[in-house]
Amino acid sequence: DVKVTQSSRYLVKRTGEKVFLECVQDMDHENMFWYRQDPGLGLRLIYFSYDVKMKEKGDIPEGYSVSREKKERFSLILESASTNQTSMYLCASRRTVTEAFFGQGTRLTVV
Amino acid sequence: KNEVEQSPQNLTAQEGEFITINCSYSVGISALHWLQQHPGGGIVSLFMLSSGKKKHGRLIATINIQEKHSSLHITASHPRDSAVYICAIWGSNYKLTFGKGTLLTVNP
């Protein structure tokens, strides 16, 4: 019954690596979102997409890019991972505000 | 000032106690979520509310749109309820704004 799937629960990557975080939803939702969670700062919006090939910067887009080639998949890309990108990453999708779902999160550690 | 304020930040209770966590927000919303995150774990959506009250097992969530306030109640709390509880609101735009979370510890 999983509706929003993030490809990994835990990831460890090296500084400078290119990192892809994948999020897939099976509900035909137009809107998808990427957040990161840090102690004391809570969850903050990195990027969102309101349709295929459409994207908007959130509050903290620096160091990230995204890709939405198909409606069901929204990828977060760290072009050159850095230690300050060690965080929990959360994907969400929605059709309307009353139909919104969250992934389980990906804990990324950059060493 | 944050758009979403939760209280308390930390809460310690004894097993069996009734728990209340509060969420206040300062903007018009379309809906509000309550989320749960266990230590080291992922985030699970407990409730999505746009009005009234919802109940799931020992968990009850209420919202008062006029007062811009929501509460999450846990009846007969149990150590397995120990987690961070997060309130999040959908505003008038695409953004979902999160509170900082409430760390609940239930001791046996």
Side-chain angles (χ1 to χ4, degrees), chain A residues 10 33 35 37 97-98 104, chain B residues 37 40 42 48 90 94-96:
Chain A
Y10 301 94
F33 306 80
Y35 300 87
Q37 182 185 37
V97 291
T98 55
Q104 280 277 67
Chain B
Q37 184 176 33
M48 181 161 50
W90 289 109
Y94 285 102
K95 284 181 63 173
L96 181 66

Side-chain angles (χ1 to χ4, degrees), chain B residues 25-96:
Chain B
Y25 50 92
S26 57
V27 298
I29 68 166
S30 306
L32 179 146
H33 284 273
W34 281 102
L35 310 170
Q36 179 193 57
Q37 184 176 33
H38 282 101
I43 291 179
V44 175
S45 178
L46 298 173
F47 294 103
M48 181 161 50
L49 294 163
S50 53
S51 65
K53 178 180 176 177
K54 286 190 176 180
K55 184 175 189 292
H56 185 249
R58 295 179 295 106
L59 301 177
I60 304 165
T62 64
I63 189 167
N64 185 318
I65 296 292
Q66 287 73 31
E67 294 186 4
K68 295 186 168 60
H69 182 268
S70 177
S71 293
L72 177 68
H73 305 286
I74 305 175
T75 61
S77 59
H78 190 276
R80 64 174 174 267
D81 297 325
S82 297
V84 174
Y85 292 84
I86 303 168
C87 169
I89 60 169
W90 289 109
S92 57
N93 53 24
Y94 285 102
K95 284 181 63 173
L96 181 66

Side-chain angles (χ1 to χ4, degrees), chain A residues 39-58:
Chain A
L41 297 175
L43 283 140
R44 296 175 291 165
L45 180 64
I46 306 171
Y47 266 98
F48 68 95
S49 168
Y50 47 91
D51 208 341
V52 176
K53 297 190 188 294
M54 309 297 277
K55 61 187 180 186
E56 290 284 341
K57 292 180 180 179

